[in-house]
Amino acid sequence: MNYFEIPELSEFYFEDSYVLTIEETPTLLFFEIDAVLTEKHHEYTPPRKGEQHCYKKIRLSFLDAAAYEWLKKKFIAFSDSSGEIDYGNIDLFTIDNDNYMLSGDWGQVIIRGGTLKIT
């Protein structure tokens, strides 16, 4: 199943969102993201001049995960014309049973179990 098929994620477009940080503990993994809001999101506004989308900083957290496994990990920073740094997009985000798989320029990770939370 793709992430946008889950109601709490259906109002985001992660393929054009920017990963700002990734932090991890033994049972928590979270991504700070400059996320693209779709027009369905209650905070959506038309894009600002010079921007393609409406963006909002969010935290995508995987709480109380049984385990997470990095298949690839490479935090290579990209810089835009304003000097802001990010680690690329979330190119793939799928859910299979209780497992989440995410990948992008920053790497590829499988999160086993746990609770997904957006703040």
Side-chain angles (χ1 to χ4, degrees), residues 2 40 53 94 101:
N2 287 306
K40 295 185 282 183
H53 301 288
T94 59
M101 181 152 84

Side-chain angles (χ1 to χ4, degrees), residues 18-20 76-80 82-87:
Y18 297 99
V19 175
L20 304 175
I76 299 170
F78 299 96
S79 176
D80 65 16
S82 70
E84 289 189 59
I85 293 179
D86 68 74
Y87 295 95

Side-chain angles (χ1 to χ4, degrees), residues 36-91:
V36 172
L37 304 183
T38 69
E39 292 182 12
K40 295 185 282 183
H41 195 282
H42 69 280
E43 292 186 41
Y44 175 85
T45 59
R48 291 186 254 175
K49 186 177 180 179
E51 292 187 345
Q52 183 177 0
H53 301 288
C54 172
Y55 295 93
K56 178 166 179 66
K57 285 192 171 67
I58 66 165
R59 177 183 264 189
L60 176 65
S61 302
F62 298 90
L63 309 168
D64 301 319
Y68 53 88
E69 176 184 356
W70 285 96
L71 304 176
K72 189 182 336 174
K73 196 178 201 181
K74 54 179 185 175
F75 298 132
I76 299 170
F78 299 96
S79 176
D80 65 16
S81 60
S82 70
E84 289 189 59
I85 293 179
D86 68 74
Y87 295 95
N89 312 105
I90 296 177
D91 298 321

Side-chain angles (χ1 to χ4, degrees), residues 105-116:
D105 292 328
W106 43 268
Q108 183 177 15
V109 64
I110 297 174
I111 299 112
R112 303 193 190 288
T115 305
L116 174 70

